[in-house]
Amino acid sequence: MSRPLTFQMMDTHAGGDVSRIVLGGITPLPGATVREQMHYLRDDADGLRQLLLFEPYGIPEMSVDLIVPATDPEAAAGYIIMEVMGYPIYSGSNTICTATAVLEAGIVPKREGVQRFKLEAPAGLVSIEARVENGVVEAITCEGLPSYIDTHRASIHVPEVGDVTYSVAYSGGFYALVEAAELGFDLSRDEERALADCAHKIVEAIQAERGFSHYTLGDVGPLPFLHFMGPVERVGDDFYRSRSATYVHPGVICRSTTGTGTSARLALMHHEGRIRPGDRLETVSLRETGFIGTFTGTHREGEHQVVENTITGKGYVLGHTQVVVNGDDPLVACAGLTHILEDNRSDR
């Protein structure tokens, strides 16, 4: 490139997890659905994810959401989620941030009070409810994916950790669920590095021992997530609270408890007979931020009792950025990227 190319981005966060929303400057991607466009980005244009999640532009703890035109006429916009582990088909925190961004960017006109619209994730249509007060998006409630328990209280020997009891839920990705206290953790912020090290060993051991298959999606790759569970406290007739921490392989403890982690907790609590439809669970992170998951119902999918749920949180806008991509910079790897950047150079 003789001169830099640029694209537009809005940085946001929900619960402390930063989602970098790419709003413009990317060419239309091939694919009849947002899921197919995600596959193209993953297989032929992974440079965008790598650019924004690694130095000098970012860090692996962030996520990226690319806004694309919806292919379903019911949706206001589509979005593709990118994380250090790859391309999840759904994420609660990324959905909260994306819904906030499309309102703040005017893609969906912002109105006072409660408004509803739909977005198209790689997983399909997602219903959104936004609460706007005095022009501020105060809360986003989004559908969590139908979630279920694949494995309940299995045991595995993990080198340097010992015997670990875990359950596995699917809630947009497969999650290993472990009791933090059984592993010696209180879920305080100063344990973050130790939590990541412990989770890395457990996930590596589970991946080496077995794989998991979704009842309709089939093989969705190695288990990428682990969720540390604190004790569940009942704080109201239909309201529970629990400290929590979500790990993303390899090496990342999320700043938030994550929406999919919260959905996985609801699935486990239902499986163990501890909640009823209408009950809510607030998961509280190492940074004292929280998401509220609401258990809305169940249905059968073959042998699985599937939990329907919603996730509520707040997204915050951190900044508006024009990203400059300079191919002459030795720290910038442009392979897998330049062919999807719009040619916005002044010398074209």
Side-chain angles (χ1 to χ4, degrees), residues 63-305:
S63 299
V64 178
D65 298 288
L66 172 62
I67 302 294
V68 297
T71 63
D72 190 306
E74 291 189 56
Y79 63 110
I80 298 170
I81 307 157
M82 292 162 262
E83 297 182 358
V84 65
M85 49 74 68
Y87 291 80
I89 64 171
Y90 187 72
S91 162
S93 60
N94 281 287
T95 300
I96 291 168
C97 286
T98 300
T100 302
V102 299
L103 288 164
E104 296 295 350
I107 297 170
V108 174
K110 186 164 51 175
R111 300 194 305 270
E112 283 292 305
V114 174
Q115 64 183 107
R116 296 175 178 85
F117 56 93
K118 293 184 179 181
L119 297 174
E120 185 181 356
L125 282 177
V126 181
S127 294
I128 304 293
E129 180 180 282
R131 179 166 57 85
V132 178
E133 297 179 4
N134 299 316
V136 176
V137 182
E138 292 290 351
I140 296 288
T141 297
C142 56
E143 286 181 289
L145 286 196
S147 305
Y148 67 93
I149 296 301
D150 175 278
T151 302
H152 187 242
R153 294 194 65 79
S155 181
I156 189 170
H157 181 75
V158 180
E160 302 179 51
V161 177
D163 293 333
V164 175
T165 299
Y166 69 98
S167 299
V168 174
Y170 182 86
S171 55
F174 280 105
Y175 269 84
L177 302 168
V178 298
E179 295 286 353
E182 292 180 5
L183 295 163
F185 293 112
D186 297 321
L187 295 180
S188 59
R189 186 166 176 176
D190 61 349
E191 296 175 326
E192 188 168 307
R193 185 67 262 163
L195 286 164
D197 291 342
C198 179
H200 187 278
K201 294 180 177 72
I202 297 171
V203 170
E204 288 278 309
I206 294 172
Q207 287 184 352
E209 182 176 275
R210 57 181 299 200
F212 299 91
S213 180
H214 188 270
Y215 56 81
T216 57
L217 300 173
D219 181 6
V220 293
L223 179 143
F225 303 113
L226 183 142
H227 190 84
F228 292 98
M229 303 181 294
V232 175
E233 173 192 9
R234 187 166 191 161
V235 293
D237 289 342
D238 61 355
F239 192 70
Y240 299 85
R241 182 177 292 123
S242 175
R243 297 194 67 81
S244 309
T246 289
Y247 167 82
V248 182
H249 197 63
V252 171
I253 292 289
C254 296
R255 270 57 173 168
S256 79
T257 54
T258 72
T260 48
T262 304
S263 296
R265 293 291 299 278
L266 292 174
L268 182 62
M269 291 179 70
H270 166 67
H271 185 85
E272 295 177 343
R274 293 190 286 156
I275 54 171
R276 300 172 297 177
D279 286 352
R280 296 169 295 156
L281 170 70
E282 182 181 24
T283 52
V284 180
S285 75
L286 304 183
R287 286 166 170 74
E288 308 302 329
T289 61
F291 291 149
I292 295 176
T294 301
F295 174 30
T296 58
T298 63
H299 65 272
R300 295 291 306 184
E301 290 284 355
E303 63 184 36
H304 299 294
Q305 186 80 4

